[in-house]
Amino acid sequence: MLILRPLTLPPMAELPSPQRLAALREHYVTLAQSFDVDALGARAAELEQAMGAPGFWDDQENAAKVSAEHARVTRKLHARAVACPGAVEHDGFLR
């Protein structure tokens, strides 16, 4: 299931126009990145490669962070599959 969280923007009326535009651009980039399936697939592959490296699990703190990020990226990819059932799967990732 795709869960969309509300954006937390500062009250726009309190910001001058240039800062409003900058805040909106920043949130747009974040939102666009979360829907960039190619980038998500590439990031998941990078994280999987790191998790398979010798000695990776020796640093438990770093391993937990990387593993958590991998779980988030993978969930986003699966959410995309649910949101776009016609998406084509390639190499284990959606395109």
Side-chain angles (χ1 to χ4, degrees):
M1 173 180 6
L2 179 62
I3 300 173
L4 298 177
R5 296 184 189 120
L7 293 175
T8 53
L9 295 172
M12 289 295 157
E14 296 175 14
L15 293 176
S17 292
Q19 280 117 349
R20 267 187 253 166
L21 289 173
L24 288 171
R25 272 191 203 101
E26 181 181 330
H27 287 289
Y28 171 78
V29 168
T30 302
L31 183 61
Q33 288 173 342
S34 72
F35 286 103
D36 185 350
V37 176
D38 291 332
L40 287 173
R43 183 62 181 152
E46 289 173 14
L47 294 168
E48 287 171 6
Q49 185 176 11
M51 290 176 3
F56 171 78
W57 297 101
D58 295 343
D59 180 354
Q60 290 295 309
E61 186 175 332
N62 183 58
K65 289 177 184 177
V66 172
S67 181
E69 182 181 356
H70 180 263
R72 282 190 302 274
V73 168
T74 302
R75 276 194 307 270
K76 287 180 182 181
L77 285 168
H78 288 292
R80 175 70 177 196
V82 171
C84 301
V88 177
E89 190 169 327
H90 177 71
D91 295 335
F93 298 105
L94 300 170
R95 300 282 176 194

